[in-house]
């Protein structure tokens, strides 16, 4: 097997995993704490890409785009939460699915109206454009390494926030027993708004990070959203640790499956069959994994303690 | 309970009106010079069949499947792939389409019904997307671009040919009526009683010795097969299949039709599909950016119109 290619694909898989984690972390917090199914989380991914990308293009600085995107997404997240989602907390999951489905249509069309149907191309700053040698003849794009580092830093920061700070303690208290935390004097509605805002920033960051590689496009968050669903189901709803591990595993399996499954299948079947079965099976791989895990552990790999299932 | 309850209830009147429109369109539309409505209503009736099937599990079973459109795709792709390989006989296409839909529903149901709540929603969604991506990766059958079907299913008899516009239309109409009848019989049978009881209190039904899992799985499979029929009709009507017919927004739209018309009512999905698609058609004709109105409309319906059209119209009666 080609080790240069293997290393590259492992890193790519890791990068996909990081993007998934940024999405899944927000989703799993919103699920875990507010018991809200939010399909529009993918829209926040898209809005982050468009808003941050526009700022980057206007100011000519990608870093400024990232930095200014954060307060922008926080505000957008809080507005969406306070205007619409707040009324959905006491509703059943069906109502939440439908209302947030309506929000997706609205956001997609709003982005089409503001930015036009073509999407947005955001160039990389010159210092991030290029490749770096990793030794053993392996080179890898600087920007992709940059995304992995940013993602890991955010994951670590989130771990500190949830695990070590007072706000994190309140979040965990809200997640394990909302009523009890409220009775003890935690301002639950305010906490919800804050958590949703954090989730919106993380989703927006994920969307903006991916933009220089692909481009900002309408509906770009939807495929990522479904993968993030797979991640949080596998990881256990409400568990940040589960979301992290499941994200990386999903990213690796999906990326490696797509590049190497043809070769692996060659051991079992004739080459023309392997070539046609390869793409088909690899596109299904992570879903098969999800089904298998749920068959044995219906609550996911890391169900959060005390969340009542 | 009689299927033909008196028409004093406005909800029933509205249903009757929609059914009369469906029944008479092929005669009326050419008279007013709007023949394209025949295809529009044929399309709406197919969605209505799919919505009726979804209502069996969402409305009566309380199982929020967010991947129901996958059976449209499976029904459609079975017909399309067979036609692609030269098998045009309806006697092979239709039983296979229904059978494969049922088999997939059995596998997906067996996996997803082990879970509850949010997990169930997301697993049905993910499993459906798996088949969607499978169709996207099938280059031989057109990938994203889809596949044209050159000939409609052939029943091999001269007096019944789906190539004939009227035969196609009334076949769809007959299937729609049949699917409502089937769900009426199911819901009011012992099977339906168990299904509804398990929806309201699963633990109680289990504790009197009924294995609710099996009932739910059976309902899931029946709904899948019924939706597979809608898929094979869609492939026949449009002469075209593509992965988009089972992409996840289609599943969302199906749920919406059920909720809009009135969940757990017999004809709710039919009126829901009618209003949903007519409204889409109207708005789309009015502005290219119709989703900007339609999206908030969906949100408002969820927030304020509980019980859907059936609920709204029935409440009107009680007040009046």
């Amino acid at each position: 097997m080609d080790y240069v290619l293997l290393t590259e694909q492992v890193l790519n898989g890791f990068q996909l995993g990081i993007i998934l984690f940024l999405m899944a972390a927000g989703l799993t917090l919103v699920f875990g704490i507010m018991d809200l199914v939010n399909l529009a989380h993918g829209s926040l991914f898209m809005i982050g890409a468009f808003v941050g990308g526009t700022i980057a293009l206007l100011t000519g600085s990608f870093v400024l785009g990232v930095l200014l995107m954060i307060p922008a997404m926080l505000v957008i997240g809080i507005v969406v939460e306070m205007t619409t989602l707040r009324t959905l907390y006491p509703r059943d999951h069906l109502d939440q699915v439908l209302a947030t489905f309506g929000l997706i249509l609205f956001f997609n069309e709003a982005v089409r109206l503001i930015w036009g149907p073509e999407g947005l191309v955001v160039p990389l700053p010159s210092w991030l454009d290029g490749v770096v040698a990793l030794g053993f003849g392996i080179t890898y794009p600087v920007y992709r390494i940059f995304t992995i580092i940013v993602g890991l830093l955010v994951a670590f920061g989130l771990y500190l926030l949830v695990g070590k700070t007072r706000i994190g303690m309140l979040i965990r208290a809200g997640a394990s027993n909302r009523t009890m935390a409220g009775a003890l004097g935690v301002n639950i509605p305010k906490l919800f708004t804050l958590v949703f805002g954090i989730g919106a920033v993380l989703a927006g960051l994920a969307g903006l990070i991916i933009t220089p590689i692909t481009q900002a496009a309408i509906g770009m968050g939807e495929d990522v959203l479904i993968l993030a669903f797979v991640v949080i189901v596998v990881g256990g709803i409400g568990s940040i640790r589960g979301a992290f591990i499941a994200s990386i595993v999903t990213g690796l399996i999906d990326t490696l499956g797509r590049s190497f499954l043809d070769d692996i299948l060659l051991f079992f079947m004739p080459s023309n069959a392997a070539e046609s079965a390869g793409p088909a099976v690899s596109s299904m791989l992570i879903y098969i994994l999800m089904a298998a895990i749920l068959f044995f552990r219906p609550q996911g790999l890391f169900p959060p303690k005390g969340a009542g299932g | 309970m009689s299927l033909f309850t008196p028409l004093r209830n406005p909800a029933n009147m509205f249903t009757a009106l929609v059914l009369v429109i469906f029944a008479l369109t092929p005669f009326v539309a050419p008279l007013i010079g709007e023949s394209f409505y025949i295809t529009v209503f044929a399309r709406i009736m197919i969605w209505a069949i799919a919505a009726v099937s979804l209502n069996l599990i969402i409305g009566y079973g309380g199982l929020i499947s967010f991947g129901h459109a996958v059976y449209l795709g499976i029904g459609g792709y079975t017909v399309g792939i067979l036609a692609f390989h030269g098998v045009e006989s309806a006697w092979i296409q239709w039983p296979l389409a229904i059978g494969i839909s049922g088999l997939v529903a059995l596998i997906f149901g067996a996996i997803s019904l082990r879970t509850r709540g949010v997990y169930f929603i997301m697993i049905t969604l993910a499993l459906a997307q798996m088949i969607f991506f499978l169709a996207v990766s099938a280059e031989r059958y057109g990938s994203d671009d889809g596949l044209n079907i050159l000939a409609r299913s052939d029943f091999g008899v001269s007096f019944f040919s789906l190539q004939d516009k009227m035969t196609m239309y009334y076949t769809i109409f007959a299937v729609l009526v049949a699917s409502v009848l089937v769900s009426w019989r199911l819901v009011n049978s012992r099977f339906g009683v168990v299904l509804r009881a398990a929806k309201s209190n699963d633990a109680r039904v289990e504790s009197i010795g009924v294995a609710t899992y099996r009932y739910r799985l059976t309902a899931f499979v029946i709904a899948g097969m019924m939706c597979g029929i809608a898929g094979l009709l869609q492939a026949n009507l449009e002469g075209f299949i593509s992965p988009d017919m089972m992409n996840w927004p289609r599943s969302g739209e199906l749920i919406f039709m059920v909720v809009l018309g009135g969940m757990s009512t017999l004809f709710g999905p039919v009126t829901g599909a009618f209003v949903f698609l007519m409204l889409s058609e109207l708005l789309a004709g009015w502005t290219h950016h119709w989703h900007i109105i339609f999206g908030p409309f969906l949100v408002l319906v969820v927030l304020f119109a509980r019980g859907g059209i059936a609920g709204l119209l029935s409440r009107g009666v009680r007040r009046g």
Side-chain angles (χ1 to χ4, degrees):
Chain A
M1 198 177 277
D2 184 349
Y3 288 98
V4 175
L5 183 64
L6 181 66
T7 314
E8 274 176 16
Q9 292 302 331
V10 167
L11 285 170
N12 284 347
F14 209 71
Q15 194 209 4
L16 175 61
I18 293 282
I19 298 289
L20 285 177
F21 172 69
L22 291 177
M23 278 290 277
L27 263 182
T28 207
L29 277 178
V30 170
F31 270 132
I33 299 176
M34 311 174 207
D35 196 28
L36 173 77
V37 190
N38 179 25
L39 298 180
H41 207 71
S43 299
L44 297 170
F45 181 87
M46 169 183 71
I47 294 169
F50 274 94
V51 170
T54 306
I55 297 172
L57 287 175
L58 286 179
T59 59
S61 160
F62 185 70
V63 176
L64 212 56
V66 174
L67 291 179
L68 289 178
M69 180 275 304
I70 293 172
M73 286 312 291
L74 195 64
V75 170
I76 291 171
I78 287 174
V79 168
V80 171
E81 199 269 349
M82 289 175 80
T83 51
T84 318
L85 297 182
R86 180 168 284 190
T87 51
L88 289 172
Y89 295 145
R91 298 302 191 83
D92 57 22
H93 291 140
L94 182 59
D95 285 356
Q96 298 172 349
V97 164
L98 286 176
T100 53
F101 180 71
L103 284 182
I104 294 182
L105 298 185
F106 174 76
F107 283 131
N108 279 349
E109 206 54 50
V111 167
R112 200 190 312 271
L113 272 175
I114 298 172
W115 281 280
E118 289 87 18
L120 199 64
V121 179
V122 178
L124 274 177
S126 53
W127 57 278
L128 284 174
D129 201 5
V131 293
V132 66
L134 298 176
F136 306 106
I138 300 165
T139 56
Y140 198 67
V142 180
Y143 182 70
R144 286 178 179 261
I145 291 182
F146 170 77
T147 47
I148 292 175
I149 293 171
V150 169
L152 286 177
L153 283 177
V154 171
F156 185 64
L158 204 60
Y159 163 76
L160 288 182
L161 178 78
V162 175
K164 307 287 176 197
T165 65
R166 186 174 163 77
I167 287 181
M169 195 176 68
L170 297 180
I171 291 175
R172 278 178 292 136
S176 64
N177 194 331
R178 206 182 325 167
T179 326
M180 184 59 82
L184 290 172
V186 180
N187 188 339
I188 294 288
K190 216 167 159 185
L191 188 70
F192 281 10
T193 310
L194 178 73
V195 168
F196 194 83
I198 295 174
V201 171
L202 292 176
L205 182 65
L208 184 53
I209 277 184
I210 201 86
T211 301
I213 299 175
T214 56
Q215 70 165 51
I218 291 155
M220 67 190 282
E222 286 154 20
D223 289 344
V224 185
L225 176 81
I226 290 162
L227 277 183
F229 275 162
V230 172
V231 162
I232 63 174
V233 165
V234 168
I237 290 176
S239 165
I240 298 265
R241 187 172 60 121
F244 185 76
I245 294 169
S247 297
I248 302 297
V249 169
T250 305
L252 285 174
I253 289 183
D254 193 51
T255 310
L256 294 179
R258 280 172 207 279
S259 0
F260 298 110
L261 203 67
D262 301 21
D263 299 340
I264 296 167
L265 287 178
L266 276 177
F267 290 114
F268 305 106
M269 49 175 78
S271 65
N272 56 345
E275 262 163 42
S276 57
V281 177
S282 62
S283 66
M284 295 165 69
L285 209 54
I286 52 161
Y287 301 101
I288 296 170
L289 170 85
M290 177 197 72
I293 286 177
L294 284 171
F295 197 77
F296 295 106
R297 294 184 67 115
Q299 295 291 314
L301 291 177
F302 303 95
K305 296 181 204 93
Chain B
M1 180 185 144
S2 158
L3 181 60
F4 302 101
T5 36
L7 291 177
R8 251 176 267 149
N9 185 332
N12 295 339
M13 256 162 68
F14 185 61
T15 304
L17 181 71
V18 170
L19 289 179
V20 168
I21 291 175
F22 282 155
L24 297 182
T25 295
F27 298 103
V28 178
L31 294 181
I32 55 171
E34 306 277 9
S35 292
F36 75 95
Y37 270 116
I38 300 176
T39 314
V40 171
F41 286 138
R43 208 170 276 153
I44 292 178
M45 288 193 296
I46 290 172
W47 281 102
I49 298 165
V52 167
S53 76
L54 181 60
N55 189 34
L56 275 180
I57 47 177
I58 284 200
Y60 296 108
L63 306 165
I64 307 167
S65 166
F66 200 172
H68 203 61
V70 74
Y71 305 106
L72 282 176
I74 290 169
Y77 267 80
T78 309
V79 168
I81 290 173
L82 283 173
F84 180 78
H85 291 290
V87 182
E88 286 167 1
S89 166
W91 305 107
I92 299 173
Q93 284 184 351
W94 289 33
L96 260 181
I98 299 168
I100 295 175
S101 300
L103 189 68
V104 173
L106 181 68
I107 298 168
F108 284 6
I111 297 168
S112 50
L113 284 168
R114 289 169 56 84
T115 63
R116 287 275 175 281
V118 181
Y119 285 90
F120 184 81
I121 298 174
M122 289 191 286
I123 291 160
T124 47
L125 171 65
L127 289 173
Q129 283 309 100
M130 177 175 91
I131 303 292
F132 166 79
F133 285 119
L134 182 65
V136 169
S137 72
E139 276 171 35
R140 189 145 188 221
Y141 305 114
S143 298
D144 276 327
D145 299 331
L147 190 65
N148 283 311
I149 303 170
L150 299 176
R152 286 180 175 165
S153 303
D154 181 12
F155 279 89
V157 284
S158 56
F159 57 87
F160 188 83
S161 164
L162 294 182
Q163 303 292 352
D164 175 54
K165 210 173 178 180
M166 292 294 248
T167 311
M168 184 76 222
Y169 186 92
Y170 281 108
T171 303
I172 298 171
F173 183 72
V175 173
L176 173 62
V177 173
S179 60
V180 174
L181 277 172
V182 166
S183 67
W184 175 58
R185 290 297 299 263
L186 272 179
V187 167
N188 292 295
S189 66
R190 181 183 176 276
F191 173 82
V193 172
V194 172
L195 195 64
R196 284 182 287 154
K199 177 193 174 189
S200 63
N201 195 328
D202 188 40
R204 250 184 224 179
V205 181
E206 287 268 4
S207 71
I208 57 170
V210 183
T212 53
Y213 179 83
R214 283 186 217 160
Y215 285 81
R216 290 197 161 117
L217 188 55
T218 310
F220 201 85
V221 172
I222 293 171
M225 288 163 78
M226 202 186 268
C227 193
I229 298 175
L232 73 85
L233 288 173
Q234 196 173 50
N236 269 296
L237 179 73
E238 312 285 353
F240 175 71
I241 48 169
S242 82
D244 194 54
M245 69 196 282
M246 57 174 138
N247 200 1
W248 69 274
R250 303 294 90 70
S251 296
E253 286 160 14
L254 271 178
I255 301 180
F256 205 83
M257 291 172 196
V258 174
V259 172
L260 182 65
M263 258 203 311
S264 357
T265 62
L266 215 46
F267 284 101
V270 180
T271 51
F274 180 80
V275 172
F276 184 96
L277 292 165
M278 285 308 282
L279 198 63
S280 315
E281 196 91 3
L282 277 176
L283 284 175
W286 181 49
T287 163
H288 186 58
H289 299 287
W290 61 285
H291 270 163
I292 205 124
I293 303 162
F294 203 58
F297 166 74
L298 300 190
V299 178
L300 291 177
V301 169
V302 171
L303 292 183
F304 299 112
R306 305 193 94 171
I309 296 167
L312 278 179
L313 292 176
S314 304
R315 272 203 292 281
V317 161
R318 262 175 249 135
R319 277 191 211 116

